[in-house]
Amino acid sequence: MTIPGRVPEPYGRDGGGANLADILERVLDKGIVIAGDIRINLLDIELLTVKLRLIVASVDRAKEMGIDWWEHDPELSTRARRHQLTRENHELRERLAALEALETGRGQHEEDR
């Protein structure tokens, strides 16, 4: 007599659970925070400490939580890059104007001699 082998059903196929897409949607909607510290000591001497802080969430959810660093990083945002270039251009113009004023003042001082 042989007993038919039973292959377990994938998670969520029997109507009670959720599939991977549902789980991912919930995670991105609600967000997940994973935090942990790894500390390696040898005879009370701390050799290594790794602090892990990880947030997994959708962009909209992250913005609701006040996390929007990617919008201000010039490496990741074209708007931030343009803003950085505008600011640098303004600073360079101010420095150039100051140097021209200094040079003009120096030229007049030499003419007065």
Side-chain angles (χ1 to χ4, degrees):
M1 175 176 177
T2 58
I3 299 173
R6 182 168 182 246
V7 177
E9 291 288 327
Y11 180 72
R13 288 246 170 132
D14 53 358
N19 61 24
L20 183 60
D22 292 337
I23 294 170
L24 185 60
E25 185 177 335
R26 285 186 206 162
V27 165
L28 293 177
D29 184 47
K30 301 292 182 185
I32 288 180
V33 176
I34 300 171
D37 296 336
I38 299 171
R39 187 170 291 155
I40 299 174
N41 292 340
L42 179 65
L43 300 175
D44 292 334
I45 299 171
E46 185 173 324
L47 297 177
L48 177 68
T49 299
V50 177
K51 293 186 175 191
L52 174 69
R53 306 294 182 260
L54 177 67
I55 297 175
V56 178
S58 67
V59 170
D60 293 335
R61 184 66 179 153
K63 284 182 177 179
E64 288 176 12
M65 293 187 294
I67 302 169
D68 60 352
W69 52 264
W70 61 87
E71 292 183 349
H72 306 290
D73 188 342
E75 298 296 325
L76 301 174
S77 168
T78 55
R79 186 177 349 148
R81 191 174 308 128
R82 266 188 258 123
H83 179 69
Q84 182 186 24
L85 289 174
T86 302
R87 189 185 66 230
E88 287 176 358
N89 193 12
H90 180 73
E91 290 173 2
L92 288 173
R93 286 176 190 260
E94 285 181 351
R95 290 179 64 187
L96 180 62
L99 287 172
E100 287 176 346
L102 185 65
E103 185 64 30
T104 301
R106 184 180 300 163
Q108 287 182 351
H109 182 70
E110 290 178 4
E111 288 178 5
D112 292 342
R113 287 184 184 180

